[in-house]
Amino acid sequence: MAGRGATEVTEQHQPHGYSARGVAGADSARRAEAASSGTRADSVSSGTRADSTVRDLPQATVTRLASYLRVLGVMADDGTLIVSSEELASAAGVGSAMLRKDLSFLGPNGVRGVGYDVTRLRARIESALGLDQGHRVVLVGAGNLGQALARYGGFGRRGFTMVGLFDRDPERIGTDVDGLTVRDVAELESACRELGATIGVVATPDEAAQQVCDRLVGAGVRCILSFASSSVEVPPHVEVGRVDLAVEMQVLSFRSARNAESDHGTAVASDHGTAVASDHGTAVAAVGGARSTSTGLGSTKNGSVIAP
């Protein structure tokens, strides 16, 4: 797929902000920040500036960047070298203006009339999302959900390597799941340090989720994804994501009900409009019978054809 050369697409974007890990191509802005803060520009360029000078990406933008990254991965696998903003936006399900705004946070990208280099843009987004170094994932809870997650091949393609599985059930400990041996959860803290885990996934029953999170935090894991329906408490320096499948289905149920009501209202309005138009047409035809002239197309009045 090649760029279409549209003049309004893929212009170079002025950066709005940067991720907490820094974004390639933003050195000039970094030097400007360094000058205003009294920090040496070379130390800023080398990535040693304080985190307080870094502006985070909006959460909604982060979510969309992840979607763009998925699409770019598919395009790269298909051999696509250049993509226009319209093509990328359409594949990601967003407007091209929104896409260009999101990508402007990453600094200059693309060439007007040519498009975005798929490989380069993919690397930019990976850097912004902190994926350029990859993540090592441990999963606690090797039940049906945990095993399904462990077997999912998409994690590896997106920079997440599953390195450890843990459970407390003696019948599961020692079993093999997609090449990984389930280990006793009693080993969790030491194993996390040994494996260099950066993300912990909690797929345990709700009553065990908090204890598992505490142990992950104690092992130095700073990113936790919990599938428990109950919330968990963690220190401020730890990021937690929650996936509650029941809540997601409830949201879908609400949207379905809302759409059904909207469709019903549209149908009622349409039926009412048809009835009014039919009654009005009948009245006009009756009046036209006394005042109109006959043509080969039927009766006409004021230049409009009225059904005979």
Side-chain angles (χ1 to χ4, degrees):
M1 189 184 303
R4 298 293 182 259
T7 57
E8 55 83 24
V9 302
T10 63
E11 62 269 21
Q12 293 196 359
H13 305 301
Q14 295 302 316
H16 284 281
Y18 315 99
S19 74
R21 292 176 179 266
V23 178
D27 283 348
S28 59
R30 291 174 177 173
R31 295 179 196 281
E33 289 181 9
S36 63
S37 63
T39 306
R40 286 184 56 191
D42 56 352
S43 67
V44 171
S45 179
S46 65
T48 58
R49 62 192 170 96
D51 288 343
S52 60
T53 64
V54 181
R55 287 171 289 178
D56 291 332
L57 292 170
Q59 182 58 49
T61 296
V62 172
T63 301
R64 289 190 294 269
L65 285 176
S67 178
Y68 306 152
L69 184 60
R70 174 186 58 79
V71 172
L72 289 168
V74 173
M75 290 180 171
D77 291 342
D78 290 342
T80 302
L81 301 178
I82 301 294
V83 61
S84 72
S85 60
E86 283 92 346
E87 292 167 333
L88 181 54
S90 176
V94 301
S96 57
M98 176 64 73
L99 177 135
R100 291 193 294 272
K101 180 179 179 181
D102 290 338
L103 296 184
S104 70
F105 285 95
L106 309 185
N109 290 290
V111 178
R112 181 185 294 274
V114 177
Y116 297 106
D117 182 297
V118 170
T119 300
R120 184 183 179 195
L121 182 57
R122 187 181 180 186
R124 281 282 185 88
I125 296 176
E126 286 178 344
S127 178
L129 297 181
L131 302 176
D132 48 335
Q133 300 300 319
H135 283 283
R136 298 174 66 79
V137 182
V138 294
L139 186 150
V140 184
N144 292 333
L145 175 59
Q147 291 187 37
L149 293 170
R151 291 190 173 99
Y152 175 57
F155 292 139
R157 293 194 298 270
R158 299 184 190 181
F160 302 94
T161 303
M162 193 70 68
V163 296
L165 301 179
F166 300 87
D167 204 285
R168 67 180 182 182
D169 187 342
E171 294 186 1
R172 292 177 183 151
I173 296 171
T175 59
D176 182 274
V177 179
D178 201 36
L180 288 174
T181 300
V182 178
R183 301 169 65 170
D184 192 331
V185 74
E187 306 173 17
L188 183 59
E189 289 91 332
S190 59
C192 283
R193 298 186 182 96
E194 167 200 331
L195 297 170
T198 57
I199 294 179
V201 177
V202 180
T204 65
D206 291 355
E207 58 270 19
Q210 183 63 63
Q211 182 182 10
V212 170
C213 285
D214 292 342
R215 298 181 67 175
L216 288 169
V217 172
V221 176
R222 295 197 170 195
C223 295
I224 297 174
L225 178 63
S226 174
F227 282 85
S229 60
S230 57
S231 60
V232 293
E233 299 293 329
V234 297
H237 69 277
V238 176
E239 296 290 337
V240 175
R242 285 184 58 206
V243 179
D244 188 330
L245 299 180
V247 169
E248 296 299 325
M249 287 189 282
Q250 288 168 347
V251 172
L252 287 174
S253 175
F254 164 74
R255 291 175 178 171
S256 176
R258 181 185 59 186
N259 291 339
E261 290 179 359
S262 176
D263 292 343
H264 177 69
T266 301
V268 170
S270 176
D271 292 343
H272 178 68
T274 301
V276 170
S278 177
D279 292 343
H280 178 69
T282 301
V284 170
V287 173
R291 299 184 180 180
S292 63
T293 58
S294 179
T295 70
L297 297 175
S299 300
T300 66
K301 183 175 182 350
N302 297 331
S304 298
V305 176
I306 303 174

